[in-house]
Short mmCIF file of all heavy atoms in Angstrom, two decimals:
data_model
loop_
_atom_site.label_atom_id
_atom_site.label_comp_id
_atom_site.label_asym_id
_atom_site.label_seq_id
_atom_site.Cartn_x
_atom_site.Cartn_y
_atom_site.Cartn_z
N ASN A 387 -31.10 -67.22 144.54
CA ASN A 387 -31.00 -66.98 145.97
C ASN A 387 -31.12 -68.31 146.71
O ASN A 387 -31.60 -69.31 146.16
CB ASN A 387 -32.11 -66.04 146.44
CG ASN A 387 -31.71 -65.25 147.68
OD1 ASN A 387 -30.73 -65.60 148.35
ND2 ASN A 387 -32.46 -64.22 148.00
N TYR A 388 -30.68 -68.31 147.99
CA TYR A 388 -30.80 -69.49 148.84
C TYR A 388 -30.75 -69.05 150.29
O TYR A 388 -30.25 -67.97 150.62
CB TYR A 388 -29.68 -70.50 148.54
CG TYR A 388 -28.29 -69.93 148.70
CD1 TYR A 388 -27.62 -69.96 149.92
CD2 TYR A 388 -27.63 -69.35 147.61
CE1 TYR A 388 -26.35 -69.44 150.06
CE2 TYR A 388 -26.36 -68.81 147.74
CZ TYR A 388 -25.73 -68.87 148.96
OH TYR A 388 -24.47 -68.33 149.11
N ASN A 389 -31.31 -69.88 151.19
CA ASN A 389 -31.32 -69.53 152.60
C ASN A 389 -30.19 -70.22 153.35
O ASN A 389 -29.43 -71.02 152.79
CB ASN A 389 -32.69 -69.86 153.24
CG ASN A 389 -32.96 -71.35 153.25
OD1 ASN A 389 -32.28 -72.12 152.58
ND2 ASN A 389 -33.95 -71.76 154.02
N ASP A 390 -30.08 -69.92 154.66
CA ASP A 390 -28.98 -70.46 155.46
C ASP A 390 -29.07 -71.97 155.60
O ASP A 390 -28.04 -72.65 155.60
CB ASP A 390 -29.00 -69.81 156.85
CG ASP A 390 -28.70 -68.32 156.80
OD1 ASP A 390 -28.11 -67.87 155.79
OD2 ASP A 390 -29.06 -67.60 157.75
N ALA A 391 -30.29 -72.49 155.73
CA ALA A 391 -30.45 -73.94 155.88
C ALA A 391 -29.92 -74.68 154.65
O ALA A 391 -29.28 -75.74 154.77
CB ALA A 391 -31.92 -74.28 156.12
N ALA A 392 -30.18 -74.12 153.46
CA ALA A 392 -29.67 -74.75 152.24
C ALA A 392 -28.15 -74.79 152.24
O ALA A 392 -27.53 -75.80 151.89
CB ALA A 392 -30.19 -74.00 151.01
N SER A 393 -27.54 -73.68 152.65
CA SER A 393 -26.08 -73.62 152.70
C SER A 393 -25.51 -74.63 153.70
O SER A 393 -24.54 -75.32 153.43
CB SER A 393 -25.64 -72.20 153.06
OG SER A 393 -24.24 -72.12 153.17
N ASP A 394 -26.17 -74.74 154.87
CA ASP A 394 -25.68 -75.67 155.90
C ASP A 394 -25.78 -77.12 155.44
O ASP A 394 -24.85 -77.91 155.64
CB ASP A 394 -26.49 -75.48 157.20
CG ASP A 394 -26.25 -74.11 157.83
OD1 ASP A 394 -25.21 -73.49 157.49
OD2 ASP A 394 -27.10 -73.67 158.61
N ILE A 395 -26.92 -77.48 154.83
CA ILE A 395 -27.10 -78.87 154.39
C ILE A 395 -26.10 -79.22 153.29
O ILE A 395 -25.48 -80.29 153.29
CB ILE A 395 -28.55 -79.08 153.90
CG1 ILE A 395 -29.52 -78.93 155.07
CG2 ILE A 395 -28.70 -80.45 153.25
CD1 ILE A 395 -30.98 -78.98 154.66
N ILE A 396 -25.90 -78.29 152.35
CA ILE A 396 -24.95 -78.55 151.25
C ILE A 396 -23.54 -78.68 151.78
O ILE A 396 -22.77 -79.56 151.35
CB ILE A 396 -25.06 -77.43 150.19
CG1 ILE A 396 -26.41 -77.50 149.48
CG2 ILE A 396 -23.92 -77.53 149.17
CD1 ILE A 396 -26.66 -76.36 148.53
N GLU A 397 -23.16 -77.83 152.74
CA GLU A 397 -21.80 -77.91 153.30
C GLU A 397 -21.57 -79.22 154.05
O GLU A 397 -20.46 -79.73 154.09
CB GLU A 397 -21.57 -76.73 154.24
CG GLU A 397 -21.38 -75.40 153.51
CD GLU A 397 -21.18 -74.25 154.48
OE1 GLU A 397 -21.21 -74.50 155.70
OE2 GLU A 397 -21.01 -73.11 154.00
N ARG A 398 -22.64 -79.77 154.63
CA ARG A 398 -22.49 -81.03 155.37
C ARG A 398 -22.07 -82.18 154.47
O ARG A 398 -21.31 -83.06 154.89
CB ARG A 398 -23.81 -81.39 156.05
CG ARG A 398 -24.06 -80.69 157.37
CD ARG A 398 -25.39 -81.12 157.94
NE ARG A 398 -25.48 -82.56 158.09
CZ ARG A 398 -26.61 -83.23 158.23
NH1 ARG A 398 -27.76 -82.59 158.19
NH2 ARG A 398 -26.60 -84.54 158.37
N VAL A 399 -22.60 -82.21 153.25
CA VAL A 399 -22.37 -83.38 152.38
C VAL A 399 -21.45 -83.05 151.21
O VAL A 399 -21.29 -83.89 150.32
CB VAL A 399 -23.72 -83.91 151.86
CG1 VAL A 399 -24.60 -84.36 153.00
CG2 VAL A 399 -24.44 -82.86 151.02
#
Side-chain angles (χ1 to χ4, degrees):
N387 207 345
Y388 57 88
N389 65 346
D390 294 340
S393 178
D394 294 340
I395 294 174
I396 291 174
E397 287 179 359
R398 278 180 56 198
V399 299

